[in-house]
């Protein structure tokens, strides 16, 4: 089995159809490479301050995080190019349609820089929607999509370098406790400028970096239904001063605007301050 691939020029409908059927799809040539280089350069200070391994001790954390893997978040605070990536029109179009069943509004869940170092074993296969495992348990298997997930590299990524492993079709498994066999996985090999779109129910995990001296650098960027708590507390990661200078949609995604269950035309609002939008009366 191979991972489905489509050029960005095929558009939202073709991408959404493949994503819905297979649970994952690589979309090629969606991001400008100069924008990725700017993002890489703007995150240089953050990279310099983060060594490999988890910040929270414990065997389980070390295994899942990766002992020779660099991870950090708060990307929106430190990179203007990341904001451009986050607001890419085709990403919005696919996310809007993919999450429309659970509401007209959604948050950014997290944006995490991940550098998998030489020799790092394969990560445990997992589902991102298990962040909200109680919701999944209550309604399984008749579940709407809860999150829209993406992964994009800064350079050409091969299987040998630790390309993310994906289990196509696993988003439709009826058995909640079924676990995948590593033999069912396929590598999401990609060039810079491409992105992996995948369902939050699709099993995946970072691959084994079998090289001696090469790092695999990528960003996992995901969005979740607005009535779920995001993994990353963006209003604590992105300062008010920074938020005020961002486009309104970026403010909304990062929790610096209120959540509108019925969309922009609705009256209901959540995540408010004195019943008003968090930034009411400001830019």
């Amino acid at each position: 089995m191979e991972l489905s691939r489509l050029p960005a020029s095929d558009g939202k409908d073709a991408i959404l159809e493949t994503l819905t059927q297979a649970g994952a799809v690589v979309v090629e040539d969606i991001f400008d490479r100069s924008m990725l280089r700017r993002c890489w350069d703007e995150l240089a200070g953050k990279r310099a301050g983060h060594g490999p391994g988890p910040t929270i001790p414990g065997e389980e954390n070390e295994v899942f995080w990766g002992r020779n893997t660099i991870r950090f978040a708060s990307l929106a605070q430190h990179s203007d190019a990341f904001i451009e990536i986050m607001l890419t029109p085709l990403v919005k179009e696919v996310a809007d349609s993919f999450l429309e069943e659970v509401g007209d509004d959604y948050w950014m869940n997290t944006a995490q820089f991940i550098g998998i170092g030489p020799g790092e074993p394969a990560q445990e296969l997992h589902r991102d929607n298990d962040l909200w495992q109680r919701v999944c348990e209550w309604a399984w298997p008749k579940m709407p999509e809860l999150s829209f997930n993406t992964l994009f590299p800064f350079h050409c990524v091969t299987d040998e370098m630790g390309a993310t492993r994906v289990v196509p079709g696993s988003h439709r498994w009826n058995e909640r406790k079924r676990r995948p066999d590593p033999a069912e996985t396929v590598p999401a090999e990609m060039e810079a400028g491409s992105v992996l779109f995948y369902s939050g129910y699709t099993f995946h995990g970072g691959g084994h970096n079998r090289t001696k001296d090469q790092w695999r650098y990528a960003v996992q960027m995901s969005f979740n239904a607005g009535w779920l708590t995001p993994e990353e507390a963006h209003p604590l990661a992105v300062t008010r001063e920074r938020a005020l200078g961002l486009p309104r949609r970026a403010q909304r995604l990062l929790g610096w605007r209120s959540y509108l269950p019925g969309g922009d035309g609705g009256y209901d609002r959540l995540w408010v301050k004195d019943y008003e939008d968090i930034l009411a009366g400001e830019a």
Side-chain angles (χ1 to χ4, degrees):
M1 182 180 295
E2 294 184 358
L3 198 56
S4 299
R5 297 175 181 273
L6 293 172
S9 58
D10 276 9
K12 182 217 32 170
D13 291 341
I15 293 168
L16 187 65
E17 180 181 2
T18 302
L19 173 60
T20 301
Q21 291 178 352
V25 59
V26 171
V27 180
E28 299 173 334
D29 298 320
I30 186 171
F31 300 131
D32 182 85
R33 294 191 181 194
S34 64
M35 181 170 63
L36 292 172
R37 286 193 294 271
R38 284 192 291 114
C39 184
W40 173 265
D41 291 342
E42 289 166 353
L43 295 176
K46 288 283 287 183
R47 288 197 307 275
H50 285 76
T55 56
I56 302 174
E59 178 75 12
E60 184 176 353
N61 292 325
E62 290 180 8
V63 170
F64 188 81
W65 182 289
R67 292 185 174 93
N68 197 33
T69 294
I70 297 171
R71 296 176 187 266
F72 60 81
S74 304
L75 307 192
Q77 175 67 18
H78 300 280
S79 172
D80 291 335
F82 173 76
I83 299 297
E84 295 179 42
I85 292 169
M86 180 178 71
L87 299 180
T88 298
L90 185 55
V91 173
K92 179 184 185 301
E93 291 173 14
V94 179
D96 285 354
S97 296
F98 194 71
L99 295 174
E100 65 181 359
E101 188 178 357
V102 291
D104 294 329
D105 201 3
Y106 50 86
W107 306 113
M108 170 171 279
N109 179 43
T110 188
Q112 184 179 145
F113 179 96
I114 305 173
I116 298 179
E120 183 71 272
Q123 186 185 36
E124 177 187 357
L125 296 171
H126 60 283
R127 287 179 162 125
D128 286 346
N129 280 356
D130 279 343
L131 285 169
W132 309 285
Q133 55 184 293
R134 295 303 185 195
V135 178
C136 294
E137 290 170 356
W138 288 333
W140 195 275
K142 296 182 179 181
M143 291 294 302
E145 293 290 349
L146 301 177
S147 65
F148 172 68
N149 302 273
T150 80
L151 182 89
F152 61 87
F154 287 100
H155 53 90
C156 176
V157 170
T158 65
D159 184 21
E160 186 180 19
M161 293 169 62
T164 293
R165 308 289 302 191
V166 181
V167 184
S170 57
H171 67 309
R172 291 188 170 179
W173 289 356
N174 286 327
E175 297 177 24
R176 168 78 175 142
K177 295 184 179 180
R178 178 180 172 183
R179 304 299 300 179
D181 188 306
E184 297 178 271
T185 65
V186 292
E189 296 183 304
M190 290 182 281
E191 297 281 345
S194 297
V195 63
L196 171 69
F197 288 161
Y198 63 99
S199 164
Y201 295 115
T202 299
F203 274 105
H204 65 285
H208 176 196
N209 187 333
R210 303 189 299 277
T211 71
K212 294 182 178 180
D213 57 3
Q214 298 181 66
W215 284 74
R216 190 220 77 174
Y217 294 113
V219 167
Q220 193 271 348
M221 176 178 70
S222 61
F223 307 88
N224 64 272
W227 43 271
L228 294 170
T229 303
E231 179 178 1
E232 192 174 347
H234 298 288
L236 299 180
V238 177
T239 65
R240 184 183 187 86
E241 180 182 21
R242 169 72 168 162
L244 285 171
L246 297 177
R248 190 180 183 93
R249 173 166 169 75
Q251 294 171 347
R252 289 275 291 281
L253 289 173
L254 296 168
W256 273 105
R257 289 284 178 182
S258 298
Y259 164 57
L260 307 176
D264 286 323
Y267 170 77
D268 293 335
R269 285 176 293 183
L270 299 173
W271 194 243
V272 297
K273 179 182 179 182
D274 293 329
Y275 301 105
E276 295 288 344
D277 187 278
I278 292 174
L279 294 180
E282 302 193 59

